[in-house]
Each structure stands twice: as structure tokens, then as C-alpha cells.
Amino acid sequence: MFTEATLPDQLQANAGDPLRILIVGAGIGGTTAAQLLRTRGLHPVLIDRVSSFDDAGYMLALMPMVDAAIDALGVRDAYVEASTPVDRYRVLNHHGAQIREDSLGELLRDYGDYRGISRGALLDVLTEAGAPVTVGTTVRSLNDGDASAHVRFDTPDGAAEATFDAVIIADGIHSHTRRFTPGGTGLNETITGWGGWVVWADADDDIDLGEEMWGDGFFVGSYPVAGAIGAFIGGPGGDTAVGPQAFVDSIRAHLTSRTSRLDHVLDSVSAADEPFYWVLDDVRTQQWASGRTVLLGDAAAGFLPTAGIGAGMAIESAWVLCGTIADATSASVRVALSAYEAEQRPRVESAQANSRQLAGLMFRRSTLLAHARNLAMRMMTIEAALGPIKKLLQKPARIPEVTEAVD
């Protein structure tokens, strides 16, 4: 579990490390990196701008590329207990009728499990051994020098400063910190114009089923986690401005067929008290590594949720990054960070491109195009839709050799 620590306490523990590391952001990527480094005897300073971690967040679907990190942290049993297999995937057309149902279990059998878990439960799993973090803290400035990176902080106790050998920026798709790096400017973004509400519904009998309805101007997705269903309902921003109840009513008016899951999800959205609204955009940075700083997870490449791969790639990237820098020194860390980017960035951007491609199919406003898409979906298997991601699973991530490191 997260344990709140003061910045001076973390800096004191970090001072004697052979590589003094700051991690900005205690989300999925940053927390995974911090915990992996701690298993190697290091004491990275972990900060986050939030004041608490009480919000359970949203639902996640994790593919087997997370297994290396899960096993390295020794939390396999806790991960399995806190999550649930997602073995089936069903897609409905814009009138609520089933187009197809596929077996994710068969697709991924050779690689591992596809598991559903809430963000809060995943963070609990990752921090099972305890995770010191300083909350309510942001980076005011970051100056990357030859000998070290000098960082100034804003903390609940006032301003502070410290030097580090490496800085990992993992504070999310709307990162406040990446602006201090060359890669944090000139972002490549996908602005879908869509958004919607995330809600939790009671679990039903289909505990292994993910279901999506691809509409003409709306989308409804529901995904199992342990003991519950995470649901998303959305559409173009102008249409969702009417509010969740009126938007649900507009969807119901389209339906000529329905599943019990779909009815359950629509009812849950209607009953939700101020559900969280999620804007469906993504981001890709121009450069990850620069000097002693590196971007990780959504701060480097923030995903649309359409392929269910963003959190998995953040965990995989954290595993690759930590393996690459684990034995680096202050003198060699710049080379190590560049090697990490060269190895991992093509994998992440391939997965992100798959998510963008699927968004082009899902987020349709035209009824004519929705009909054409539905016909194509009858012929397209889930294996074809997730082809680029399956290729990543067939050739797992690896820790690159740092061939030009100097001491």
C-alpha cells in the first residue's frame, strides 16, 4: 500500500543510492517503476500532485505483456486474486443486436491471461510491499545538467530542491512536468471530439465477458473486474452535453434489440451520482529520453481505450526501463535512457496506432458508415482487429544492452 512520506525523508533514503532517481507521478507506470527499482535495493523518490489515493479510478484490461513486471515484483498471487479473466468479447451493432462474439482466451492462450482489474486494485497489488510517496507535490523546474538534474519542488510544506542522476516523468497524459523536456513540446494528438461517463455496475452472471456496442454517434462498453463491471458510455462531446440520463434515453430510442448486460449498464449510468466524465483523446510525444530525463507511460504516449492496451504498455515499459537503468551509473545513465527509448518506443507506438485505428471504426456518427462497419465486423475476427498487438505478444519486450555506457 502507499505510505505517505515527507520529501526530506525520501531524499535522505535516496542520498546513498548509486543512482539517485526521481519519479514524478504515482500512477500505473510510475508506481511500477518505483517498485521495480525498490526490489533492486534502490530508494527512488516518488511524488504525486494528488493529495490522496482514495479514488478507485476506472477499469483496466491487462494483456500478458504485464507478466514480466508482475513476476519481478513477486505479486502474482495478489494480482490473480484482485483481477478476473476476460475470456469472451461480444460486439453489438448500433441497434443493440449481436454482431459477433469471440474467445479472447483462445486468442491469447499461448501468451497468458487477459485480466480485468480496477485501477485502485492494481495500485494496491503493485504496492503490496509498501510504497513511500510524497503527495501534494509538483515539479516547479527541472534543469538537466552534465553532472546531475536539479529539480525544484512545490510541496505542502513549501518550496524544496534536490539533485538527481535520473528523472522519470510519469505524471499522465496531461503531464505538467514533460514541458521541461524537449519531448514535451509539439505533441502529436488524436482529438476524437468524443467523451463519456465511467460508472461501476454490480457484477452479473457473465463474469468473463467484455461487451461493446458500436453505435452511430454513441458507444457503450462494459468490462468485468473482480466483483463488478466497469462501464463506459459516450459519444460526441456536443451530444453528451445533455447529461448522462438524457444521453441514455437517446441510446434506448435506437435499440431494437438488447442484451441483459446492455440493459444493466444503461440502468447503472442512469442511476449513477455524478459519474466521472472521460475525454477520449490521446497524445504522442516527439522524444522520450533527453539527457537525464525520460518520459514513461501516458506522459510519453497516452492511449485511447479502444484496444485495452494502454495500462499494459505502461507496465511493460516500466519493466524495460528499470531493467535498462538498474546497473547504470550517473555517468552512463544518459546512454541507458536513450537505449531504452530506442528499444521500447516502436512497440508502444505500434500499440497506440492499433488503438487509433480501432477508434476510427468505433467512433462513427454516420448511420450509413455504421452499417458498412457492421458488415465488415461480421467478417473481421478479433484476432485480425488486434493483429499488431498479437505481434507484440509473439515477440516479447526485452531489456536492451547498453553498449556505449561509460563510467
Side-chain angles (χ1 to χ4, degrees), residues 75-95:
V75 295
R76 168 65 54 185
D77 290 345
Y79 172 58
V80 170
E81 183 177 355
S83 61
T84 191
V86 184
D87 288 333
R88 294 182 294 142
Y89 171 71
R90 178 192 294 157
V91 61
L92 312 177
N93 69 14
H94 57 299
H95 292 304

Side-chain angles (χ1 to χ4, degrees), residues 263-405:
D263 268 338
H264 181 40
V265 166
L266 293 177
D267 288 343
S268 298
V269 174
S270 297
D273 182 22
E274 297 184 359
F276 170 72
Y277 190 86
W278 188 355
V279 176
L280 295 182
D281 298 332
D282 77 4
V283 65
R284 177 182 294 183
T285 57
Q286 296 178 329
Q287 182 181 351
W288 290 9
S290 174
R292 297 177 177 277
T293 64
V294 66
L295 305 177
L296 174 66
D298 284 351
F303 281 63
L304 294 167
T306 46
I309 194 67
M313 293 308 296
I315 292 173
E316 179 190 272
S317 295
W319 178 78
V320 175
L321 173 60
C322 294
T324 307
I325 66 173
D327 297 322
T329 65
S330 181
S332 65
V333 70
R334 289 185 290 265
V335 175
L337 294 179
S338 294
Y340 157 71
E341 178 178 2
E343 179 68 30
Q344 187 65 6
R345 182 172 178 171
R347 289 178 59 84
V348 171
E349 292 187 350
S350 174
Q352 188 187 50
N354 196 186
S355 294
R356 289 178 169 181
Q357 181 182 34
L358 288 174
L361 288 173
M362 294 179 181
F363 302 153
R364 292 291 190 184
R365 186 70 179 265
S366 163
T367 301
L368 180 62
L369 290 176
H371 276 295
R373 177 197 61 204
N374 295 342
L375 290 173
M377 281 300 298
R378 294 185 187 279
M379 305 298 294
M380 182 188 298
T381 65
I382 188 66
E383 183 171 6
L386 297 178
I389 292 173
K390 186 175 180 181
K391 289 181 180 179
L392 296 180
L393 295 172
Q394 290 170 335
K395 188 177 180 182
R398 69 180 190 93
I399 308 298
E401 294 183 9
V402 183
T403 57
E404 300 179 16

